[in-house]
Amino acid sequence: MTKPLETIDPALLLSAYAQGLFPMADGADDPSVHWVEPRLRAILPLDGLHLSHSLRKVIVADRFRVTTDTAFPAIMALCAEPAPDRPTTWINPIIKASYERLFRLGHAHSVECWLGDALVGGLYGVSLGRAFFGESMVSRVRDASKVALAHLVARLKAGGWQLLDCQFITPHLASLGAIEITQAAYLARLYSVLSGVEGGAAGGVAGAGGGDGAAGAAVVPSPPFVAGDWGALDALGAASDLGAARATGSPPGYVIAQLLT
C-alpha cells in the first residue's frame, strides 16, 4: 500500500499565517520545510496597484481568458517548474500537497490566465479572514502574471479584503506598487485585520519604512475570523453585458479596470 503524501496539518498552517509565519523548502527536492518570518515584509496596498497605461490596455482588451479556482494544482505545478531565471523553487511535494489541501478546504485560491486552452500564467495564495497571503505567481507569456495580479486585487477590493501580503519585495512587485514594512508593523496590521478592527489595514501604507507598530504587546487573534467574499466580484461581472457568457470566469476587463482606477 502506498504511504499517503505528508502534508502540513491545515490548522497548524493557518495558525502560522495568523502569527505572521509561512513555510518554505530550500528546494523542490528538499524533503522538509521550515518556517519563515522575514524581518521586512512586502505588502501591496489594495488602493496602490500601479496600473500602467499599457497594462490597462491589455486588461480591457481581454487578451487573456482569466478564471479563478479552476486549475489550482496546475498553477502550483507551473509555479514550481524551473525557469531560466529560477532553476529551482521552494515548492516541494509537501508544500504542494499542503496547499492543495487548503484549497479543498476553501482557504486557498488561484487566478489563472489562459491563451486558448494553454495555461500561460497566474498566481495562488492563502485566504484567512480578510487577509490574503500571495504565495507565488508565474508568467509564461508577457503580462500574464500582471493581469492575474490585477484581477486578484480587484477581487479582493470587491470582496472586502484589507491586506494583501506579498512576503518578499522584488523589483517586479515594487514596480506594481508593493512596499516593504517591518515585521512588527506587519503583525500589527495583520492582527488588526484578523480582529476585525474597522479600517485596520484597508489599502493604506501606515507603518511603511519603519516603526515597530504595536505587535509586541498585541495578542494573536483567535478564530473564527470575518471572511472576505471571494465571489463578490463575480456578481459585478454577472451584472455586465458579458456576464452570462463569463459565468465560470472572471468579469470582463473593463470591469476590472474600473475597479482599479
Side-chain angles (χ1 to χ4, degrees), residues 1-219:
M1 180 178 295
T2 302
K3 183 180 179 181
L5 186 63
E6 183 181 356
T7 65
I8 304 169
D9 180 76
L12 173 62
L13 192 50
L14 293 175
S15 176
Y17 275 96
Q19 299 174 68
L21 305 168
F22 55 88
M24 294 185 74
D26 287 333
D29 297 326
D30 185 359
S32 62
V33 298
H34 56 272
W35 297 101
V36 180
E37 185 180 20
R39 293 179 61 188
L40 294 174
R41 197 75 171 234
I43 64 170
L44 178 58
L46 294 178
D47 289 331
L49 178 69
H50 293 167
L51 193 65
S52 67
H53 179 69
S54 60
L55 179 57
R56 188 181 188 280
K57 286 178 61 177
V58 170
I59 293 170
V60 172
D62 288 318
R63 181 179 301 174
F64 302 100
R65 178 171 61 91
V66 182
T67 59
T68 64
D69 291 349
T70 63
F72 187 91
I75 278 292
M76 282 206 74
L78 196 63
C79 288
E81 284 182 1
D85 61 338
R86 188 181 58 181
T88 186
T89 73
W90 50 269
I91 303 172
N92 68 355
I94 295 176
I95 294 286
K96 191 170 186 299
S98 299
Y99 286 84
E100 288 180 5
R101 190 175 177 187
L102 274 190
F103 172 70
R104 293 191 295 270
L105 293 172
H107 279 289
H109 296 285
S110 59
V111 179
E112 306 97 15
C113 289
W114 307 80
L115 283 178
D117 293 329
L119 182 62
V120 296
L123 56 83
Y124 75 94
V126 173
S127 177
L128 185 63
R130 291 182 177 176
F132 191 89
F133 309 87
E135 284 297 310
S136 187
M137 62 183 186
V138 63
S139 187
R140 289 293 180 259
V141 299
R142 184 174 178 177
D143 292 329
S145 63
K146 292 180 181 180
V147 170
L149 182 62
H151 275 255
L152 173 67
V153 171
R155 186 167 292 273
L156 298 183
K157 291 182 69 172
W161 268 264
Q162 295 181 316
L163 176 64
L164 174 52
D165 170 36
C166 300
Q167 297 182 346
F168 300 106
I169 198 73
T170 66
H172 178 62
L173 285 172
S175 72
L176 293 168
I179 62 172
E180 208 171 38
I181 61 177
T182 66
Q183 179 71 351
Y186 170 79
L187 288 177
R189 183 174 300 211
L190 174 63
Y191 293 173
S192 175
V193 169
L194 294 181
S195 298
V197 176
E198 190 69 25
V205 297
D212 289 337
V219 177

